[in-house]
Amino acid sequence: DAGVIQSPRHEVTEMGQEVTLRCKPISGHNSLFWYRQTMMRGLELLIYFNNNVPIDDSGMPEDRFSAKMPNASFSTLKIQPSEPRDSAVYFCASSKGQGVGETQYFGPGTRLLVL
Amino acid sequence: GNSVTQMEGPVTLSEEAFLTINCTYTATGYPSLFWYVQYPGEGLQLLLKATKADDKGSNKGFEATYRKETTSFHLEKGSVQVSDSAVYFCALSPGGGATNKLIFGTGTLLAVQP
């Protein structure tokens, strides 16, 4: 079975540009998570969805960040406008359900560099 | 609040040495506990988990026991290999609600030398 798919794997952009990261969860999984990983702050949960509905977006840094899940097989994380401090690795993860103890499966990540 | 504290790395060991990576947690309710591993340039993979007190998770020679009395979930392996070199993350999923969102520790880099 295919795992979580993320694209692009690497993105280099200039400050002020719009960046869109994409994620395809594992088929049959109902929950989807976006994380950000930096050296300074480690792994942070940005937002998660259950059945395509955003459940908790308290980790989204500011209004420049937005996430959507238009259907069960696709999600986007958008940064507009991007800033150098947004440089990080962004991971998408999915799970079958959202019960405590359900395993999350991570994608390979998108490494974003904002110049 | 909920938080996870891991021992600082890097941890450098020789092949076949015994490994312990300490993890303690603070949580309201009854969390589930996880260890994830991240190999260079890759995403995180679940290594093992435990969902209630006194449970032992195990996989690939790694073990961790959910100790409620000491709020700990230390990772151990009896004999490490060079291929175990990676970053290890301890994480918890808070109890008390219908959610499996994860709160991660800072990660511990393990380097195993031949």
Side-chain angles (χ1 to χ4, degrees):
Chain A
D1 286 343
V4 175
I5 298 172
Q6 292 187 245
S7 65
R9 293 292 308 274
H10 302 273
E11 177 81 26
V12 180
T13 191
E14 292 188 345
M15 183 174 63
Q17 297 298 306
E18 178 180 293
V19 174
T20 299
L21 312 181
R22 297 173 175 79
C23 176
K24 177 178 170 55
I26 293 172
S27 178
H29 282 194
N30 297 326
S31 294
L32 184 139
F33 306 79
W34 283 101
Y35 291 90
R36 178 172 66 176
Q37 184 179 38
T38 61
M39 289 295 292
M40 292 298 294
R41 299 174 68 90
L43 268 162
E44 304 172 280
L45 176 66
L46 299 177
I47 185 171
Y48 81 92
F49 297 83
N50 189 56
N51 292 324
N52 313 336
V53 175
I55 303 299
D56 183 349
D57 65 354
S58 58
M60 294 287 264
E62 48 199 271
D63 291 345
R64 298 185 297 106
F65 285 69
S66 62
K68 294 182 179 179
M69 192 163 186
N71 57 61
S73 58
F74 183 66
S75 177
T76 59
L77 178 68
K78 186 175 292 187
I79 309 171
Q80 167 63 18
S82 57
E83 297 182 1
R85 59 190 169 124
D86 302 329
S87 299
V89 182
Y90 290 82
F91 289 104
C92 176
S94 71
S95 64
K96 277 189 182 177
Q98 61 172 356
V100 175
E102 283 277 3
T103 298
Q104 293 185 25
Y105 296 85
F106 282 73
T110 295
R111 187 173 298 271
L112 173 65
L113 177 61
V114 183
L115 302 174
Chain B
N2 299 300
S3 66
V4 175
T5 302
Q6 284 182 242
M7 65 187 288
E8 293 281 337
V11 174
T12 303
L13 296 173
S14 298
E15 207 164 22
E16 299 183 2
F18 185 85
L19 168 71
T20 300
I21 300 178
N22 289 337
C23 171
T24 57
Y25 67 90
T26 302
T28 53
Y30 301 95
S32 290
L33 301 173
F34 303 79
W35 277 100
Y36 277 83
V37 58
Q38 184 178 28
Y39 298 102
E42 297 184 11
L44 281 73
Q45 302 174 24
L46 177 69
L47 182 59
L48 54 84
K49 71 179 184 181
T51 58
K52 60 182 188 295
D54 300 326
D55 269 3
K56 177 188 282 188
S58 61
N59 186 26
K60 299 180 182 179
F62 291 89
E63 292 183 341
T65 301
Y66 187 160
R67 302 278 188 207
K68 187 168 182 285
E69 63 277 13
T70 55
T71 61
S72 64
F73 193 54
H74 305 321
L75 182 68
E76 296 182 337
K77 186 175 186 183
S79 176
V80 293
Q81 305 299 313
V82 172
S83 58
D84 294 326
S85 299
V87 180
Y88 292 81
F89 291 91
C90 185
L92 70 82
S93 184
T99 174
N100 62 330
K101 70 178 185 180
L102 290 171
I103 296 166
F104 285 93
T106 52
T108 301
L109 173 63
L110 171 64
V112 180
Q113 298 176 337

